Amino acid sequence: MSKREVWSTAPRAGSVTVPTDSADATRGLGARVAALLRAGDVVVLTGGLGAGKTTLAQGIGAAMGVRGRICSPTFVIARVHPAPGAGPDLIHVDAYRISGLEELDALDLDSSVAEAVTLMEWGEGKAEALSEDRLEITVTRPRGGLAAASPTGHSETGTVTDLARADDGQRVITITAVGPRWDGVDLGALAVQDPGHRPHSRDH
């Protein structure tokens, strides 16, 4: 099988779903994800516009201690955030404008995948070519995830609500491990925020 062939049959090692109620909580989850990562890992972030993919990426980058501000790299497609010490660099990719594997090839990401953590937003159906082993993370905003706003975006007084500011921060984040790299890794620990809480995780 060639290096660029999509690993569509890679086994699922496990999955956990974690709700968060604020941007800080989403970044905190990102920090817990970072604690599981090592050089060579690939993380695929999926979710709609404004879902919180970059917010989660910020938590991962902060916990890894890499340099540079983590933001959506749409106009540069890929940005390398170097690690100040012995840890791996973070390659942050926005694949929104990548239409196929040929364009992904042109980034030559496979030349550095083994030495870095590769984090790809909008990477579903594309990042699979980079590695048999990966974390697939889906970020969704629950329906009605607006604070003090009606479904039309108007308040009870008739004024238009600023939908960005009305976002209540609630997200549902599902993390799925794919490939033998993640065999034996307890994804359930990602949702443990206090000693008395243990999430429900499922094996596939």
Side-chain angles (χ1 to χ4, degrees), residues 46-53 72 74 94 96 121-122 139 141 167 171:
T46 301
L49 288 169
K53 299 183 298 297
S72 180
T74 299
D94 191 322
Y96 185 74
E121 299 188 31
W122 302 100
V139 185
R141 178 185 297 175
D167 183 352
R171 299 294 186 270

Side-chain angles (χ1 to χ4, degrees), residues 107-127:
L107 297 177
D108 198 25
L109 292 178
D110 55 343
S111 64
S112 53
V113 163
E115 293 80 33
V117 170
T118 302
L119 181 64
M120 182 176 288
E121 299 188 31
W122 302 100
E124 186 177 19
K126 303 168 186 175

Side-chain angles (χ1 to χ4, degrees), residues 1-203:
M1 182 177 293
S2 70
K3 179 169 55 176
R4 279 302 185 185
E5 185 172 347
V6 176
W7 297 82
S8 59
T9 60
R12 264 58 179 169
S15 178
V16 65
T17 296
V18 184
T20 60
D21 58 9
S22 67
D24 284 343
T26 297
R27 293 187 188 98
L29 174 58
R32 297 193 295 279
V33 170
L36 301 179
L37 299 176
R38 65 192 187 197
D41 285 342
V42 173
V43 181
V44 183
L45 291 177
T46 301
L49 288 169
K53 299 183 298 297
T54 300
T55 301
L56 187 69
Q58 289 169 348
I60 293 173
M64 289 179 60
V66 296
R67 298 191 180 99
R69 178 172 175 263
I70 305 293
C71 57
S72 180
T74 299
F75 296 105
V76 295
I77 300 182
R79 179 179 286 117
V80 177
H81 296 272
D89 295 342
L90 176 65
I91 303 173
H92 187 199
V93 182
D94 191 322
Y96 185 74
R97 298 177 185 275
I98 296 177
S99 60
L101 292 180
E102 294 77 9
E103 293 180 46
L104 190 59
D105 266 330
L107 297 177
D108 198 25
L109 292 178
D110 55 343
S111 64
S112 53
V113 163
E115 293 80 33
V117 170
T118 302
L119 181 64
M120 182 176 288
E121 299 188 31
W122 302 100
E124 186 177 19
K126 303 168 186 175
E128 292 87 342
L130 292 177
S131 177
E132 176 184 14
D133 303 292
R134 56 192 180 275
L135 280 184
E136 297 178 347
I137 303 180
T138 301
V139 185
T140 58
R141 178 185 297 175
R143 294 190 64 175
L146 296 173
S150 73
T152 62
H154 290 74
S155 69
E156 293 180 357
T157 61
T159 58
V160 176
T161 302
D162 183 337
L163 296 182
R165 297 184 64 182
D167 183 352
D168 65 3
Q170 295 187 48
R171 299 294 186 270
V172 177
I173 301 171
T174 300
I175 302 159
T176 301
V178 180
R181 148 76 173 95
W182 298 100
D183 288 347
V185 176
D186 181 14
L187 294 184
L190 292 173
V192 178
Q193 301 184 54
D194 60 73
H197 174 67
R198 190 72 177 179
H200 171 71
S201 62
R202 62 184 185 274
D203 292 328

